[in-house]
Amino acid sequence: MKPAADVLSDLAQMSNVAVHSDSGLVGSVAAAAAEDDEKRKEKENEALRRKPDLQPISAKEGGSLHLAPWNVLHTLGRAIALARRGAGRGLAEHWGSLKYSQALIGGSTDYMRLSAEGRETAEHYKALQSGELGIGFALALAEQVLSQRHPGHLVSIVPADTALRAGWALNSRDKGPRSGYRYRPRFFAEVWKPGAESLVFPIECRGHHGNAAASDDQLATASAHVEAVHIGGWNGTPSLVFSTELPLDGPLTVHALQSKGEGGRLSRHASSPEGALDDRLEDKNIYPGIQPPPDGDETQPPVPGFHVKPEHYGWFRRVLARTTAAGLTAFAGDGAATLQYLTKRQGQRHFAGFAHAAAGSVQDAQGEFLGIPCVGTDHVFRLNRTRVEAFSGVAEDLFRHLEAGRVEQYRNEVYARRATWPRETWDHEWWGPVSVHPDGSVLAMRVLP
């Protein structure tokens, strides 16, 4: 059993992550999609509507990924802070990322892979581990690709189900006209800067413990999920699909493809005042369905999915910004600050009132990490019999804006500081791994003194 101090040191070690995206992958995924369509035809099921013309991501943008395991856990924790899947009722979901504290190993000259514990866990919880770690690696790569492609912009990751629920009823528990369509992306990436239009990419990410052929199948299915959301014109919304291969023996690999398009743009209009992001949201009831272009003079019936039309652009931009703010305040453990950003259908009630024992979260911790004063929440648990403390939160000055509902001011200030955040992965004052994201969020862990 490795000492906890050694585990924390391993978490801060930078490592390489293999990325696969080429024309061969495009062909393999197309073949997997065709085979799936043939099986559906034999069962008299309708073929899936998938993103046409998937393409590789350029080697310049996504040819390699260099990060520490702790950065991956931070990315995963931020992504699932609004997941609402466990007994924490959505207030402490992000601590679930810490169960992978011993799952990954690597080094400055090595490719990251599963550790002995990660391999053992995979024998019992394959789908859970591969799916959640797949989120962490895919979103880290997505942020790198989009940041390089759009310099001078920030990239915010937004859980798609939470965002879509502000406008559409996704299942029988939601009030409103239901879509009845189970295919939808897992996340949106909003590429933005103050005063400019946002560009939105639907993202689907999966993972497995098999071989590369399993990624072909996952990417073929993922292309149907990202096709379910159109922003603007028909089939013009760019998207990203990922499948992370986590073999029991050998380095892990992120398989990635993209679709390009001129859509996905949430343009700003004079009718949208500068402070609109600070205005509270109410649930809309947008009728589900995507309108295809006419066939000659004939209007085509809508196809299943979710269509963000030009009249929705300002509203959807506000949904994405406020859902991002909710994820940050939830990551900092502040339920009261979180519920102001969500509608009833988005899960407002999950951030008020009772939380189960050992599953709640309270914003009452503070500290300085790599020179940044932060506020947030803490969690104490045992790591190989040693008591350790984890902290998650946000830079204090930025959190105060979010706490007060000042989304526009938060975005202006975090944008101004985008190039100033420290890149170190170890804080010698805190004496443990620390990860700082461009959104001002911080995740840290140490052995309790």
Side-chain angles (χ1 to χ4, degrees):
M1 185 180 294
K2 184 177 287 189
D6 291 347
V7 173
L8 300 193
S9 179
D10 289 345
L11 285 169
Q13 289 293 316
M14 298 294 289
S15 185
N16 298 303
V17 177
V19 177
H20 177 214
S21 185
D22 58 21
S23 58
L25 180 61
V26 173
S28 298
V29 172
E35 183 178 348
D36 181 65
D37 289 343
E38 189 62 33
K39 290 179 180 178
R40 289 175 179 275
K41 183 178 179 181
E42 291 173 0
K43 296 179 180 179
E44 298 184 350
N45 293 330
E46 189 174 346
L48 294 180
R49 199 180 77 249
R50 308 175 199 266
K51 268 289 180 190
D53 194 27
L54 289 177
Q55 301 175 32
I57 294 169
S58 74
K60 180 181 178 181
E61 293 172 343
S64 63
L65 191 60
H66 192 62
L67 75 175
W70 193 239
N71 301 141
V72 178
L73 301 192
H74 185 181
T75 300
L76 172 60
R78 276 285 292 111
I80 63 177
L82 297 174
R84 292 167 45 196
R85 291 179 301 175
R89 302 166 73 90
L91 192 53
E93 294 282 356
H94 66 286
W95 291 134
S97 65
L98 298 181
K99 62 180 173 284
Y100 302 116
S101 294
Q102 299 179 84
L104 300 167
I105 56 173
S108 59
T109 60
D110 297 328
Y111 281 96
M112 205 176 294
R113 63 185 66 220
L114 289 176
S115 65
E117 182 181 278
R119 294 194 298 272
E120 183 178 344
T121 301
E123 293 294 335
H124 303 283
Y125 304 103
K126 286 185 177 180
L128 178 64
Q129 176 173 267
S130 62
E132 292 192 327
L133 286 177
I135 290 172
F137 286 104
L139 295 183
L141 179 57
E143 290 174 353
Q144 173 181 293
V145 168
L146 296 177
S147 295
Q148 291 186 9
R149 188 177 299 176
H150 303 280
H153 290 70
L154 282 179
V155 180
S156 295
I157 301 296
V158 187
D161 269 14
T162 307
L164 291 173
R165 273 195 167 92
W168 293 268
L170 302 186
N171 54 39
S172 59
R173 297 190 303 273
D174 298 335
K175 292 183 178 180
R178 278 187 290 137
S179 69
Y181 197 55
R182 66 186 184 89
Y183 293 93
R184 50 185 178 267
R186 193 164 300 190
F187 298 97
F188 294 117
E190 182 196 7
V191 182
W192 61 274
K193 67 177 182 179
E197 66 181 10
S198 293
L199 178 58
V200 181
F201 291 76
I203 293 175
E204 177 64 11
C205 45
R206 298 173 171 232
H208 62 89
H209 290 299
N211 55 29
S215 284
D216 299 339
D217 294 332
Q218 287 193 340
L219 291 171
T221 303
S223 68
H225 284 264
V226 294
E227 170 65 8
V229 175
H230 285 203
I231 301 171
W234 175 257
N235 263 332
T237 307
S239 62
L240 296 165
V241 291
F242 302 95
S243 173
T244 301
E245 177 187 349
L246 297 115
L248 300 184
D249 183 21
L252 65 87
T253 302
V254 183
H255 303 269
L257 293 174
Q258 65 175 332
S259 66
K260 294 186 176 181
E262 296 302 317
R265 299 182 182 277
L266 303 179
S267 55
R268 300 194 61 159
H269 300 287
S271 59
S272 297
E274 192 67 18
L277 300 186
D278 297 346
D279 296 341
R280 291 194 178 229
L281 286 168
E282 296 292 337
D283 285 320
K284 280 182 176 288
N285 286 305
I286 301 172
Y287 199 81
I290 302 171
Q291 183 60 56
D295 183 6
D297 294 332
E298 293 186 16
T299 300
Q300 298 298 300
V303 298
F306 311 89
H307 199 170
V308 181
K309 299 178 181 178
E311 60 265 30
H312 304 141
Y313 288 169
W315 164 81
F316 197 60
R317 180 176 174 273
R318 186 154 52 103
V319 168
L320 295 178
R322 294 184 70 82
T323 305
T324 298
L328 283 164
T329 52
F331 191 72
D334 195 327
T338 302
L339 65 84
Q340 70 178 310
Y341 291 117
L342 301 175
T343 69
K344 289 182 179 180
R345 206 161 52 208
Q346 284 182 301
Q348 205 178 66
R349 68 188 185 279
H350 294 282
F351 295 91
F354 171 77
H356 291 289
S361 184
V362 179
Q363 189 275 297
D364 62 355
Q366 58 185 18
E368 186 171 301
F369 303 92
L370 299 175
I372 304 167
C374 298
V375 295
T377 184
D378 55 8
H379 179 52
V380 175
F381 63 103
R382 289 190 182 273
L383 181 61
N384 294 347
R385 300 181 181 178
T386 300
R387 293 174 73 236
V388 296
E389 174 190 11
F391 171 92
S392 68
V394 179
E396 183 172 9
D397 56 338
L398 297 176
F399 179 81
R400 297 307 173 202
H401 294 316
L402 295 171
E403 182 183 44
R406 298 188 293 265
V407 181
E408 200 77 49
Q409 192 167 351
Y410 159 78
R411 282 164 75 100
N412 286 335
E413 293 194 15
V414 79
Y415 179 82
R417 292 166 60 177
R418 66 192 183 282
T420 66
W421 300 109
R423 297 179 179 272
E424 297 94 327
T425 58
W426 187 271
D427 188 323
H428 292 280
E429 296 293 328
W430 168 260
W431 204 250
V434 174
S435 173
V436 181
H437 276 192
D439 60 8
S441 65
V442 174
L443 183 69
M445 189 160 68
R446 66 177 174 180
V447 174
L448 270 178

